[in-house]
Amino acid sequence: MNPLPHDAGLYVTRSQRYRWCHREKEYVGFATLPNQVHRKSVKKGFDFTLMVAGESGLGKSTLVNSLFLTDLHKDRKLLSAEERISQTVEITKHTVDIEEKGVKLKLTIVDTPGFGDAVNNTECWRPITDYIDQQFEQYFRDESGLNRKNIQDNRVHCCLYFIPPFGHGLRPVDIEFMKALQDKVNVVPLISKSDCLTPNEIRKLKDRVREEIDKFGIKVYQFPDCDSDEDEEAKQKDRELKESTPFAVIGSNMVVETRGQKVRGRLYPWGIVEVENQSHCDFVKLRTMLIRTHMHDLKDITCDCHYENYRAHCIHTMTSKMNTDNRVESPIPILPLMKDEEVMDS
Protein backbone atom coordinates (compact mmCIF):
# COMPACT_ATOMS: atom_id res chain seq x y z
CA MET A 1 0.00 0.00 0.00
CA ASN A 2 1.25 3.47 -0.82
CA PRO A 3 2.07 5.52 2.29
CA LEU A 4 -0.20 8.39 3.19
CA PRO A 5 0.95 11.84 2.06
CA HIS A 6 3.49 13.37 4.42
CA ASP A 7 1.32 16.45 4.82
CA ALA A 8 -1.79 14.48 5.76
CA GLY A 9 -1.11 15.02 9.44
CA LEU A 10 -2.22 12.78 12.25
CA TYR A 11 -5.90 13.24 11.57
CA VAL A 12 -7.11 11.58 8.34
CA THR A 13 -10.73 11.19 7.55
CA ARG A 14 -12.18 7.77 6.76
CA SER A 15 -13.16 8.87 3.22
CA GLN A 16 -9.58 10.04 2.45
CA ARG A 17 -8.11 6.75 3.64
CA TYR A 18 -10.65 4.86 1.52
CA ARG A 19 -9.77 6.84 -1.62
CA TRP A 20 -6.03 6.20 -1.16
CA CYS A 21 -6.58 2.48 -0.61
CA HIS A 22 -9.01 2.26 -3.53
CA ARG A 23 -6.50 3.98 -5.82
CA GLU A 24 -3.87 1.39 -4.88
CA LYS A 25 -6.28 -1.47 -5.55
CA GLU A 26 -7.02 -0.18 -9.07
CA TYR A 27 -3.34 -0.65 -10.06
CA VAL A 28 -2.71 -4.34 -10.74
CA GLY A 29 0.72 -4.09 -12.34
CA PHE A 30 0.41 -5.71 -15.77
CA ALA A 31 1.20 -2.34 -17.35
CA THR A 32 4.87 -3.24 -16.80
CA LEU A 33 4.64 -6.27 -19.12
CA PRO A 34 6.12 -4.38 -22.13
CA ASN A 35 9.15 -3.50 -19.99
CA GLN A 36 9.55 -7.14 -18.98
CA VAL A 37 9.34 -8.30 -22.59
CA HIS A 38 11.82 -5.61 -23.63
CA ARG A 39 14.39 -6.66 -21.01
CA LYS A 40 14.03 -10.33 -21.89
CA SER A 41 14.32 -9.68 -25.63
CA VAL A 42 17.40 -7.49 -25.25
CA LYS A 43 19.04 -10.12 -23.04
CA LYS A 44 18.28 -12.92 -25.50
CA GLY A 45 19.21 -10.94 -28.61
CA PHE A 46 17.69 -11.03 -32.07
CA ASP A 47 18.40 -12.93 -35.29
CA PHE A 48 17.69 -12.04 -38.89
CA THR A 49 18.45 -13.92 -42.09
CA LEU A 50 18.77 -11.94 -45.30
CA MET A 51 19.17 -13.48 -48.74
CA VAL A 52 20.59 -11.57 -51.69
CA ALA A 53 20.05 -12.80 -55.24
CA GLY A 54 20.91 -11.50 -58.68
CA GLU A 55 23.54 -11.73 -61.36
CA SER A 56 27.22 -11.25 -60.57
CA GLY A 57 28.48 -7.70 -60.73
CA LEU A 58 25.29 -5.97 -59.58
CA GLY A 59 26.77 -4.85 -56.26
CA LYS A 60 25.09 -7.32 -53.89
CA SER A 61 28.04 -7.72 -51.51
CA THR A 62 28.84 -4.02 -51.57
CA LEU A 63 25.27 -3.10 -50.69
CA VAL A 64 25.15 -5.54 -47.77
CA ASN A 65 28.44 -4.17 -46.44
CA SER A 66 27.03 -0.65 -46.73
CA LEU A 67 23.80 -1.58 -44.95
CA PHE A 68 25.38 -3.20 -41.91
CA LEU A 69 28.83 -1.52 -41.95
CA THR A 70 30.59 -4.88 -42.15
CA ASP A 71 32.91 -6.68 -44.57
CA LEU A 72 31.49 -10.13 -45.21
CA HIS A 73 33.58 -11.04 -48.27
CA LYS A 74 37.19 -10.31 -47.35
CA ASP A 75 38.63 -13.43 -48.98
CA ARG A 76 36.26 -13.78 -51.91
CA LYS A 77 37.69 -15.11 -55.16
CA LEU A 78 36.20 -13.73 -58.37
CA LEU A 79 35.71 -16.26 -61.14
CA SER A 80 36.77 -15.69 -64.69
CA ALA A 81 34.29 -15.58 -67.56
CA GLU A 82 35.25 -19.10 -68.61
CA GLU A 83 34.70 -20.46 -65.11
CA ARG A 84 31.29 -18.79 -64.83
CA ILE A 85 30.03 -20.54 -67.98
CA SER A 86 29.98 -23.93 -66.25
CA GLN A 87 29.31 -22.63 -62.75
CA THR A 88 26.19 -23.81 -60.98
CA VAL A 89 24.22 -21.85 -58.43
CA GLU A 90 25.79 -22.13 -55.00
CA ILE A 91 24.53 -21.15 -51.57
CA THR A 92 27.00 -19.44 -49.25
CA LYS A 93 26.17 -18.32 -45.73
CA HIS A 94 27.94 -15.69 -43.64
CA THR A 95 27.02 -14.98 -40.03
CA VAL A 96 28.14 -11.94 -38.08
CA ASP A 97 27.22 -10.73 -34.60
CA ILE A 98 26.42 -7.02 -34.43
CA GLU A 99 25.84 -4.99 -31.28
CA GLU A 100 24.38 -1.50 -31.14
CA LYS A 101 23.52 0.33 -27.90
CA GLY A 102 23.41 -2.93 -25.98
CA VAL A 103 21.13 -4.69 -28.49
CA LYS A 104 22.66 -7.79 -30.09
CA LEU A 105 21.74 -8.94 -33.58
CA LYS A 106 22.86 -12.20 -35.13
CA LEU A 107 22.83 -11.39 -38.83
CA THR A 108 23.02 -14.16 -41.42
CA ILE A 109 23.60 -13.24 -45.06
CA VAL A 110 22.77 -15.92 -47.63
CA ASP A 111 24.44 -15.25 -50.96
CA THR A 112 23.68 -17.01 -54.24
CA PRO A 113 26.79 -16.81 -56.46
CA GLY A 114 26.29 -18.19 -59.93
CA PHE A 115 22.64 -17.23 -60.26
CA GLY A 116 21.87 -16.08 -63.81
CA ASP A 117 25.51 -16.33 -64.94
CA ALA A 118 25.32 -19.53 -66.97
CA VAL A 119 24.48 -19.77 -70.66
CA ASN A 120 21.49 -21.97 -69.83
CA ASN A 121 19.57 -20.55 -66.86
CA THR A 122 16.71 -23.02 -66.94
CA GLU A 123 15.40 -23.39 -63.38
CA CYS A 124 18.54 -21.77 -62.00
CA TRP A 125 16.44 -20.76 -58.98
CA ARG A 126 15.89 -24.40 -57.94
CA PRO A 127 18.86 -24.56 -55.49
CA ILE A 128 17.58 -21.36 -53.87
CA THR A 129 14.03 -22.63 -53.34
CA ASP A 130 15.44 -25.95 -52.10
CA TYR A 131 17.58 -24.11 -49.56
CA ILE A 132 14.59 -22.14 -48.23
CA ASP A 133 12.56 -25.35 -47.91
CA GLN A 134 15.46 -27.05 -46.11
CA GLN A 135 15.49 -24.29 -43.49
CA PHE A 136 11.73 -24.68 -43.03
CA GLU A 137 12.15 -28.43 -42.67
CA GLN A 138 14.95 -28.09 -40.14
CA TYR A 139 12.93 -25.65 -38.05
CA PHE A 140 9.90 -27.96 -38.27
CA ARG A 141 11.97 -30.89 -37.00
CA ASP A 142 13.52 -28.86 -34.17
CA GLU A 143 10.14 -27.46 -33.20
CA SER A 144 8.70 -30.98 -33.07
CA GLY A 145 11.61 -32.44 -31.11
CA LEU A 146 12.15 -32.92 -27.39
CA ASN A 147 14.49 -29.99 -26.82
CA ARG A 148 12.65 -26.88 -27.99
CA LYS A 149 14.34 -24.39 -25.70
CA ASN A 150 17.25 -23.31 -27.89
CA ILE A 151 15.98 -23.65 -31.46
CA GLN A 152 18.19 -22.00 -34.07
CA ASP A 153 16.03 -20.01 -36.46
CA ASN A 154 17.75 -20.09 -39.86
CA ARG A 155 14.59 -19.42 -41.87
CA VAL A 156 15.10 -16.78 -44.58
CA HIS A 157 13.18 -13.67 -43.53
CA CYS A 158 13.79 -11.51 -46.60
CA CYS A 159 15.21 -11.83 -50.11
CA LEU A 160 16.64 -8.77 -51.83
CA TYR A 161 16.41 -9.39 -55.56
CA PHE A 162 18.68 -7.21 -57.70
CA ILE A 163 17.31 -6.07 -61.05
CA PRO A 164 19.90 -4.84 -63.58
CA PRO A 165 19.68 -1.10 -64.34
CA PHE A 166 20.11 -1.66 -68.07
CA GLY A 167 17.20 -2.93 -70.12
CA HIS A 168 13.57 -1.97 -70.25
CA GLY A 169 12.07 -3.72 -67.25
CA LEU A 170 11.96 -7.27 -65.98
CA ARG A 171 13.58 -10.09 -67.91
CA PRO A 172 12.05 -13.58 -68.13
CA VAL A 173 14.52 -14.90 -65.53
CA ASP A 174 13.52 -12.10 -63.15
CA ILE A 175 9.83 -12.93 -63.51
CA GLU A 176 10.30 -16.67 -63.07
CA PHE A 177 12.61 -16.24 -60.09
CA MET A 178 10.26 -13.98 -58.14
CA LYS A 179 7.25 -16.16 -58.95
CA ALA A 180 9.15 -19.23 -57.73
CA LEU A 181 9.97 -17.56 -54.40
CA GLN A 182 6.87 -15.45 -53.79
CA ASP A 183 5.14 -18.05 -51.57
CA LYS A 184 8.30 -18.98 -49.64
CA VAL A 185 9.95 -15.70 -48.65
CA ASN A 186 9.41 -11.94 -48.57
CA VAL A 187 10.77 -10.73 -51.92
CA VAL A 188 11.97 -7.12 -52.07
CA PRO A 189 13.01 -6.08 -55.63
CA LEU A 190 15.81 -3.54 -56.01
CA ILE A 191 17.16 -1.62 -59.00
CA SER A 192 20.90 -2.03 -58.61
CA LYS A 193 23.64 0.45 -59.50
CA SER A 194 21.13 3.21 -60.09
CA ASP A 195 23.93 5.78 -60.38
CA CYS A 196 24.25 4.83 -64.05
CA LEU A 197 20.72 6.14 -64.72
CA THR A 198 19.36 9.66 -64.81
CA PRO A 199 16.50 10.58 -62.42
CA ASN A 200 14.05 10.48 -65.33
CA GLU A 201 15.29 7.04 -66.40
CA ILE A 202 14.92 5.76 -62.83
CA ARG A 203 11.32 6.93 -62.65
CA LYS A 204 10.47 5.27 -65.97
CA LEU A 205 12.17 2.00 -64.97
CA LYS A 206 10.36 1.97 -61.61
CA ASP A 207 7.01 2.51 -63.30
CA ARG A 208 7.75 -0.26 -65.81
CA VAL A 209 8.81 -2.73 -63.11
CA ARG A 210 5.70 -1.98 -61.02
CA GLU A 211 3.47 -2.46 -64.07
CA GLU A 212 5.07 -5.80 -64.93
CA ILE A 213 4.85 -7.01 -61.32
CA ASP A 214 1.11 -6.36 -61.44
CA LYS A 215 0.76 -7.76 -64.95
CA PHE A 216 2.39 -11.11 -64.15
CA GLY A 217 0.80 -11.41 -60.70
CA ILE A 218 4.08 -11.40 -58.79
CA LYS A 219 3.61 -11.18 -55.03
CA VAL A 220 6.36 -9.04 -53.56
CA TYR A 221 6.57 -7.82 -49.98
CA GLN A 222 3.69 -5.48 -49.17
CA PHE A 223 4.21 -2.79 -46.56
CA PRO A 224 1.62 -2.97 -43.77
CA ASP A 225 -0.73 -0.05 -43.35
CA CYS A 226 0.28 2.56 -40.84
CA ASP A 227 -1.56 2.48 -37.51
CA SER A 228 -4.35 5.00 -37.13
CA ASP A 229 -2.81 6.44 -33.96
CA GLU A 230 0.48 7.29 -35.67
CA ASP A 231 1.33 10.95 -36.12
CA GLU A 232 1.24 12.63 -39.52
CA GLU A 233 5.03 12.55 -39.91
CA ALA A 234 5.12 8.76 -39.53
CA LYS A 235 2.28 8.37 -42.03
CA GLN A 236 4.12 10.59 -44.53
CA LYS A 237 7.31 8.51 -44.21
CA ASP A 238 5.26 5.35 -44.69
CA ARG A 239 3.75 6.76 -47.89
CA GLU A 240 7.21 7.72 -49.18
CA LEU A 241 8.51 4.20 -48.59
CA LYS A 242 5.61 2.65 -50.50
CA GLU A 243 5.97 5.09 -53.39
CA SER A 244 9.73 4.46 -53.67
CA THR A 245 9.47 0.75 -54.49
CA PRO A 246 11.31 -0.83 -56.16
CA PHE A 247 14.18 0.87 -54.37
CA ALA A 248 16.91 2.27 -56.65
CA VAL A 249 20.09 1.69 -54.65
CA ILE A 250 23.81 2.37 -54.68
CA GLY A 251 26.42 0.72 -52.47
CA SER A 252 29.94 1.80 -51.59
CA ASN A 253 32.66 0.76 -49.15
CA MET A 254 34.64 3.93 -49.80
CA VAL A 255 34.60 7.07 -47.64
CA VAL A 256 35.07 10.22 -49.69
CA GLU A 257 35.16 13.88 -48.72
CA THR A 258 32.66 16.38 -50.07
CA ARG A 259 31.83 19.87 -48.82
CA GLY A 260 34.18 19.36 -45.91
CA GLN A 261 32.41 16.18 -44.74
CA LYS A 262 33.37 12.53 -45.04
CA VAL A 263 30.59 10.39 -46.51
CA ARG A 264 30.14 6.97 -48.07
CA GLY A 265 30.03 7.45 -51.79
CA ARG A 266 31.45 6.78 -55.24
CA LEU A 267 33.93 9.16 -56.81
CA TYR A 268 33.54 9.89 -60.53
CA PRO A 269 35.33 12.36 -62.82
CA TRP A 270 32.17 14.47 -62.91
CA GLY A 271 31.44 14.40 -59.18
CA ILE A 272 30.53 12.31 -56.16
CA VAL A 273 27.50 10.09 -55.65
CA GLU A 274 26.58 9.93 -51.97
CA VAL A 275 25.10 6.65 -50.80
CA GLU A 276 23.13 8.24 -47.94
CA ASN A 277 21.91 11.25 -49.92
CA GLN A 278 18.21 10.65 -50.58
CA SER A 279 18.30 12.86 -53.66
CA HIS A 280 20.89 10.47 -55.18
CA CYS A 281 19.34 7.06 -54.39
CA ASP A 282 16.95 5.12 -52.13
CA PHE A 283 19.62 3.53 -49.94
CA VAL A 284 18.43 5.31 -46.76
CA LYS A 285 14.83 4.28 -47.42
CA LEU A 286 15.86 0.65 -47.93
CA ARG A 287 17.88 0.69 -44.71
CA THR A 288 15.01 2.33 -42.84
CA MET A 289 12.56 -0.29 -44.08
CA LEU A 290 14.82 -3.27 -43.62
CA ILE A 291 16.29 -2.46 -40.21
CA ARG A 292 14.51 0.34 -38.40
CA THR A 293 10.80 -0.06 -39.20
CA HIS A 294 9.89 -3.38 -40.85
CA MET A 295 12.40 -6.01 -39.69
CA HIS A 296 9.97 -7.42 -37.14
CA ASP A 297 7.15 -7.44 -39.68
CA LEU A 298 9.33 -9.39 -42.12
CA LYS A 299 9.98 -11.97 -39.39
CA ASP A 300 6.29 -12.12 -38.46
CA ILE A 301 5.20 -12.77 -42.06
CA THR A 302 7.87 -15.45 -42.41
CA CYS A 303 6.66 -17.19 -39.25
CA ASP A 304 2.90 -16.65 -39.50
CA CYS A 305 2.46 -16.98 -43.27
CA HIS A 306 5.27 -18.68 -45.22
CA TYR A 307 6.34 -21.13 -42.52
CA GLU A 308 2.76 -21.90 -41.46
CA ASN A 309 1.88 -22.74 -45.08
CA TYR A 310 4.87 -25.10 -45.23
CA ARG A 311 3.96 -26.62 -41.86
CA ALA A 312 0.32 -27.11 -42.83
CA HIS A 313 1.40 -28.78 -46.09
CA CYS A 314 3.71 -31.16 -44.20
CA ILE A 315 1.03 -32.11 -41.69
CA HIS A 316 -1.52 -32.63 -44.46
CA THR A 317 0.92 -34.85 -46.36
CA MET A 318 1.73 -36.86 -43.24
CA THR A 319 -1.94 -37.30 -42.38
CA SER A 320 -2.79 -38.41 -45.91
CA LYS A 321 0.04 -40.93 -45.88
CA MET A 322 -1.06 -42.26 -42.51
CA ASN A 323 -4.59 -42.78 -43.82
CA THR A 324 -3.36 -44.68 -46.89
CA ASP A 325 -0.78 -47.08 -45.45
CA ASN A 326 -1.28 -46.68 -41.68
CA ARG A 327 2.27 -45.52 -41.15
CA VAL A 328 4.06 -42.21 -41.40
CA GLU A 329 7.68 -41.17 -41.53
CA SER A 330 7.84 -37.82 -39.85
CA PRO A 331 9.68 -36.01 -37.06
CA ILE A 332 6.50 -35.90 -34.95
CA PRO A 333 4.16 -38.70 -33.90
CA ILE A 334 0.52 -38.33 -34.83
CA LEU A 335 -1.59 -39.53 -31.89
CA PRO A 336 -5.07 -40.98 -32.46
CA LEU A 337 -7.91 -38.70 -31.47
CA MET A 338 -9.53 -39.54 -28.13
CA LYS A 339 -13.16 -40.52 -28.04
CA ASP A 340 -15.68 -38.22 -26.38
CA GLU A 341 -16.00 -40.45 -23.30
CA GLU A 342 -12.20 -40.39 -22.84
CA VAL A 343 -12.04 -36.62 -22.69
CA MET A 344 -12.09 -35.39 -19.10
CA ASP A 345 -13.12 -31.90 -18.11
CA SER A 346 -10.40 -30.05 -16.31
Side-chain angles (χ1 to χ4, degrees):
M1 181 184 297
N2 286 337
L4 298 178
H6 66 277
D7 57 349
L10 297 177
Y11 302 99
V12 181
T13 64
R14 182 177 299 178
S15 61
Q16 287 176 318
R17 185 180 297 275
Y18 174 79
R19 284 197 301 269
W20 289 325
C21 294
H22 184 66
R23 189 184 308 159
E24 176 66 21
K25 289 180 181 178
E26 287 180 345
Y27 178 74
V28 178
F30 57 80
T32 63
L33 279 174
N35 296 332
Q36 298 175 38
V37 174
H38 174 75
R39 288 195 299 269
K40 186 176 181 181
S41 299
V42 170
K43 183 179 179 181
K44 183 180 179 181
F46 301 88
D47 50 61
F48 188 74
T49 301
L50 177 67
M51 173 180 282
V52 291
E55 291 183 357
S56 299
L58 293 181
K60 301 187 298 295
S61 303
T62 304
L63 182 70
V64 170
N65 293 338
S66 302
L67 282 171
F68 299 98
L69 301 179
T70 58
D71 189 1
L72 299 175
H73 302 274
K74 296 179 181 178
D75 304 321
R76 184 180 59 170
K77 177 186 175 183
L78 298 178
L79 300 179
S80 63
E82 184 178 356
E83 291 173 321
R84 288 203 301 268
I85 291 176
S86 58
Q87 183 191 18
T88 57
V89 179
E90 299 176 2
I91 303 294
T92 61
K93 188 169 69 171
H94 306 271
T95 302
V96 59
D97 293 320
I98 305 175
E99 184 171 350
E100 182 181 67
K101 295 183 179 180
V103 179
K104 298 178 180 178
L105 173 67
K106 180 183 177 184
L107 174 67
T108 302
I109 303 297
V110 181
D111 200 356
T112 56
F115 173 79
D117 291 344
V119 175
N120 184 4
N121 290 314
T122 303
E123 293 195 342
C124 59
W125 52 85
R126 181 70 65 183
I128 300 174
T129 57
D130 289 345
Y131 175 84
I132 297 174
D133 287 338
Q134 288 168 9
Q135 306 315 306
F136 282 157
E137 179 182 358
Q138 185 61 50
Y139 191 86
F140 182 57
R141 290 178 178 273
D142 293 342
E143 187 183 46
S144 308
L146 296 177
N147 184 13
R148 302 174 55 188
K149 187 175 181 180
N150 299 314
I151 297 178
Q152 294 291 329
D153 186 5
N154 294 317
R155 295 172 296 182
V156 180
H157 301 117
C158 179
C159 175
L160 299 181
Y161 184 69
F162 288 68
I163 300 171
F166 35 83
H168 302 284
L170 298 177
R171 304 164 302 167
V173 66
D174 301 328
I175 297 170
E176 294 301 325
F177 175 86
M178 288 190 283
K179 293 186 74 171
L181 268 69
Q182 63 184 4
D183 294 322
K184 299 177 182 292
V185 68
N186 298 302
V187 179
V188 178
L190 307 176
I191 298 175
S192 62
K193 293 193 172 183
S194 62
D195 50 336
C196 65
L197 298 174
T198 65
N200 188 40
E201 290 173 335
I202 292 177
R203 283 192 296 269
K204 289 183 178 180
L205 183 55
K206 283 188 175 187
D207 292 339
R208 183 67 181 270
V209 170
R210 282 193 289 259
E211 290 174 3
E212 292 181 339
I213 286 176
D214 293 336
K215 176 183 176 181
F216 294 102
I218 301 172
K219 294 182 288 186
V220 297
Y221 173 68
Q222 298 294 324
F223 294 94
D225 293 331
C226 202
D227 294 333
S228 58
D229 58 347
E230 293 283 357
D231 55 23
E232 192 58 37
E233 182 181 358
K235 293 180 180 179
Q236 177 62 27
K237 290 183 179 179
D238 184 67
R239 284 193 294 267
E240 291 177 358
L241 280 178
K242 293 177 180 178
E243 293 170 357
S244 298
T245 56
F247 298 110
V249 295
I250 304 168
S252 176
N253 296 327
M254 294 177 55
V255 176
V256 296
E257 187 170 344
T258 175
R259 299 186 300 274
Q261 295 181 343
K262 291 185 177 181
V263 297
R264 281 180 172 262
R266 305 184 72 88
L267 180 62
Y268 292 99
W270 44 264
I272 295 175
V273 176
E274 300 176 31
V275 171
E276 299 187 10
N277 189 330
Q278 297 195 48
S279 63
H280 291 182
C281 68
D282 297 328
F283 174 85
V284 173
K285 294 176 181 176
L286 172 64
R287 184 178 62 188
T288 299
M289 182 279 294
L290 193 61
I291 303 174
R292 300 181 182 178
T293 59
H294 291 77
M295 177 179 282
H296 203 277
D297 186 64
L298 290 166
K299 295 185 66 173
D300 283 346
I301 294 179
T302 300
C303 181
D304 300 337
C305 182
H306 299 306
Y307 172 68
E308 280 302 314
N309 290 339
Y310 175 86
R311 181 175 174 273
H313 175 72
C314 287
I315 294 177
H316 176 73
T317 303
M318 289 153 44
T319 306
S320 301
K321 188 174 182 181
M322 183 187 66
N323 293 334
T324 54
D325 56 11
N326 293 325
R327 65 183 181 84
V328 59
E329 297 176 2
S330 71
I332 62 173
I334 298 181
L335 301 179
L337 296 177
M338 290 187 295
K339 298 179 180 179
D340 293 340
E341 58 268 17
E342 297 177 349
V343 179
M344 299 179 59
D345 294 333
S346 55

